[in-house]
Structures are given as C-alpha cells and as structure tokens.
Amino acid sequence: MIDWDSLTNVAAQLLSGYLQIQSLNPPGDERATADFLASELRQRGLEPTLYESAPNRVNLVARLPGNGTKKPILLYNHMDVVEADPARWSCDPFSGEIREGYVWGRGAIDMKGMAVMQLLALDLLRQHQPDRSRDIIYFAAADEEKGGKFGAQWMIEHHWPEIEADFVWDEGGFGLRDLFGPRPVFTVAVAEKKDLWLKLVAHGEPGHSGMPHKDNAANILLCALGRVLALNEKYELNPVTRAMFAEVARLMPFPKSILLRNLGNPLVFWLLQPTLAANLTIAAMLKDTLSITVLRAGGKENIIPELAAATLDVRLLPERDPQAFLEGLKRLIDDPRVEIEIIQSPAVANVSDTNSDFFQALSGVLAELVPQGITVPMLTPGTTDSCFFRRKGVNAYGLFPAIIDPGELAHFHGIDERLSLENLRLGTEIIYRVLQKLTQ
C-alpha cells in the first residue's frame, strides 16, 4: 500500500532542493542538476550515466530494466531553466520555498516538477512491480531552452541506443481547468509547430541624423517589418486541432457542441473564429505565428545607421512548407535592401499516433483518476524536444500531468512560478499508474 501523503511530502522536499540549483540557460550549466538527480537515483537503487556534450553541459540517463518483451518507454525531462528577475517575484526564485500548498521557484512547472514526479514514479514501479515487460528510461536533458543542441539533439546523434524507445513522455500539454469550462481537459501534445528562426538585415547608407534621407537602414527595416506582421492574420484548421475540438465538444452545451464538432465546415469555422482567437493559446494553434524577438540598429544618437536587424521567431503549422513560406516572405517584403538569413530551419514534423498503447493507457488512467475530465490530442504552439524523437519515428507525447488554471499557467516562464503539492501527488500517481499498465 502506497502512503501518498508521505510520498507527497517527500516530493515537495525533493522539488524544493532541486529548485535551489540555478541551472540557468543561458549561460547553460547542468552539472549540479545532473549530480543532484544522480544522487537521488542512486539512493533508490538506480545507477545513472552522465554524458557531457560540452564543458558543464551534462545529460543524465538511468534505466529501470524489464524483461525486454516490449520496447522501452522514455521519461523525458530537461534540467535547464529560463532566467528569473528576483525583484519581480514575491520570493527568491531559487529558494524552493514551500508555502500556501505550493513549491515556489523557477522551473517548478518547466520542468523540474515533472522530473521529480517521474523519478518517484519510477521508484514506485521498482518497488511494487518487479516483473516488467519493458525497460523504463529516465532521461534528464541539457539545453532544451536553447534548442537542444547540447541535449536531446546531441544524445540522439551520439548515444541513440541508450535512449531509443517505443514511446517518449515529454512536456507540452496540461490538464487545463477553465479553458473550455470548469471540467479539466488534458491536452496531450501529439504534434507541434515547425520552428523557423530568421534574421532580417536591412542595408542602408550612413549619414548625419540632422540630414535625414530615404536610405536609413532603420527605416527600411521598420517598413519591412510592417509588411511582415500581416502574416499573422490567416486562420486555418489543422487536423490535430480539429480532433481536439471534436473531443472538447462533449463538454459543451448545445449549440456549441454541434458547432465544435463541425469546425471542418468553412462557414462554421468562420463564425467561430473571433471566439476561438480570443484565447492566445488557441489562436496560436490556428495559424502560422511570427514574433519579433530582437531588434538592433545604430550605435550613436546622431548617426543614421547603415545596418539594422530584426530576429523573427516563426512557428509554422505542421503541414506548411518552410521554403514556400520564405519565398512568400521575400515577395511580401519586396525590397532588395532587406536580406533574409536563416538562423534555424525546421525538419519534417511528424504526428504521434493517438491509437497507440501509450495514448490509450494514458487516457484510461486519466479517466480513472479524474473522471470529470477528458483527454484530447493537441498541437503544441511552441516547440519541445519531442520533435527530435518524432523525426526518428518515435511516438512522443507531451503532458505535464497536473490540473492547472489559466492563472497558474501564466507563471510558466513568468513571475512566481510554482507547483501545488496536490499536483505533485496527482502527477506522480498518473505517471506510476500509466507505467504500471504499459509494463504488465
């Protein structure tokens, strides 16, 4: 019999200690986090292996063996976190403070909380299910927040046999309350948008700012960006998003239920667009998005710059051809003085199977533990390391197994990030129960 109250306290203390390690990326240094997890795994009878992809860029892999009759399952998490401004938090973002039923700190949701849930679920499986049909691989990756060059990408390229699996359980979706109504909707990411990072460089003529002219590089760039931003305006329905809304329709009263089930009808989709697009997350699932993330021009107050540059983070729907998008962008800018540089180009985006044993086991466990909720497939508006596994033909699924509301979700990469003790318990049990089913 599992003492879930006691285990929840263990989880809270473990997460608190883990959050106190400042594994910020940039600059990127996962050595201390990898050592922390390695120590905790060894205390539970598992022997991890550390892989250094660059100085202080460390990946960790541990394996709970099964009898090998089925292929492994990989539990993925990443150790790096984004920056946090202490002046804007109500507590030290690296204190791991436990108060008001939450563990507070940068990385509580993204993604150290899930690392703790996975570790404890793995230990429960070791204790309570000695006969297992599969190996379970615990993979704590470096560098996710900067694209995975020293993490998942490097491990797949250099150590694929050590992490090759039938299914990957990653982040991406959540159990969302109050997004589609009061009942929780578990959005399981089965696909994600293609990430295309670009730099626009405008070339002009330098001069004295007291004598303005038409070849100011900053002005050229601003005109180009004005045209580029028009790309954000077209909505369309991806097959994964259509399937999500068809499931969500079961929660909705008439006539919303009928409308959502028939979103494939162009007229219905047109009628519902204003309502759907009012939510930023849903809006991002319905179109290619483009964000200006970096601007640089000039170096002195009284000199017209000859160069100006903007970095663009473009997220394309899975079926979109990046090359066709770039050609359209060139036609839209229509200015030979503006050069388009590719910083990062996406690869083919595969969709994970919703009829797989994993998806069915996950849906079943969620229905048992949260009977008022439903499970739906989702297109991730952002990008996770799942994309690298899908490119290898592996079914990867993204779900942070917790129930959160929009207010809590806003702390993701934001101020006062925190995870409730209730969700620590729920997430650990969900992972454990799913692993139980899939290793029988």
Side-chain angles (χ1 to χ4, degrees), residues 296-371:
R296 291 194 177 94
K300 198 170 186 296
E301 292 80 358
N302 63 345
I303 298 178
I304 292 174
E306 62 178 320
L307 288 176
T311 301
L312 309 179
D313 184 349
V314 181
R315 305 296 172 109
L316 302 174
L317 292 169
E319 59 273 16
R320 192 74 72 242
D321 178 5
Q323 188 57 43
F325 175 86
L326 283 169
E327 290 170 1
L329 192 65
K330 290 176 185 176
R331 289 194 299 270
L332 191 65
I333 294 172
D334 191 26
D335 190 333
R337 298 171 297 178
V338 179
E339 178 185 2
I340 302 175
E341 298 179 2
I342 298 173
I343 301 172
Q344 176 176 290
S345 186
V348 175
N350 298 318
V351 178
S352 297
D353 184 9
T354 55
N355 292 312
S356 69
D357 290 344
F358 182 94
F359 194 91
Q360 296 306 312
L362 178 59
S363 300
V365 168
L366 292 171
E368 293 166 8
L369 295 179
V370 190

Side-chain angles (χ1 to χ4, degrees), residues 82-263:
V82 298
E83 63 182 8
D85 182 0
R88 302 189 66 191
W89 282 55
S90 65
C91 63
D92 179 348
F94 298 100
S95 65
E97 185 175 341
I98 303 173
R99 63 178 168 90
E100 300 169 1
Y102 288 82
V103 186
W104 300 63
R106 173 60 82 224
I109 296 176
D110 184 28
M111 153 181 217
K112 292 181 176 181
M114 191 160 168
V116 168
M117 296 174 189
Q118 292 171 340
L119 190 152
L120 293 176
L122 193 65
D123 189 41
L124 289 174
L125 195 69
R126 179 187 65 82
Q127 296 177 61
H128 299 283
Q129 189 152 312
D131 298 319
R132 297 175 293 271
S133 60
R134 307 173 186 264
D135 290 4
I136 306 298
I137 304 167
Y138 183 92
F139 174 29
D143 199 38
E144 191 274 347
E145 297 292 357
K146 292 287 285 181
K149 177 182 177 182
F150 300 108
Q153 286 194 70
W154 187 85
M155 287 294 294
I156 288 170
E157 182 178 350
H158 294 89
H159 296 282
W160 177 240
E162 285 86 343
I163 58 173
E164 183 178 5
D166 203 6
F167 307 112
V168 171
W169 191 340
D170 190 4
E171 62 180 344
F174 296 90
L176 299 173
R177 182 189 289 118
D178 296 332
L179 180 61
F180 301 108
R183 291 173 59 183
V185 177
F186 289 95
T187 56
V188 181
V190 298
E192 55 192 45
K193 296 170 82 173
K194 298 175 179 177
D195 52 336
L196 175 63
W197 292 354
L198 305 173
K199 181 184 284 188
L200 303 188
V201 182
H203 299 266
E205 292 294 331
H208 195 288
S209 60
M211 294 177 285
H213 58 70
K214 61 184 178 62
D215 287 325
N216 183 325
N219 293 350
I220 295 168
L221 180 64
L222 289 174
C223 289
L225 291 175
R227 298 187 192 106
V228 163
L229 289 175
L231 287 170
N232 274 334
E233 295 176 356
K234 184 181 177 183
Y235 292 92
E236 55 188 275
L237 193 61
N238 174 270
V240 174
T241 308
R242 181 187 301 177
M244 179 186 79
F245 281 116
E247 290 295 318
V248 169
R250 296 194 287 126
L251 298 180
M252 297 298 171
F254 179 85
K256 284 184 179 179
S257 57
I258 298 297
L259 291 172
L260 289 176
R261 270 197 292 269
N262 290 279
L263 271 184

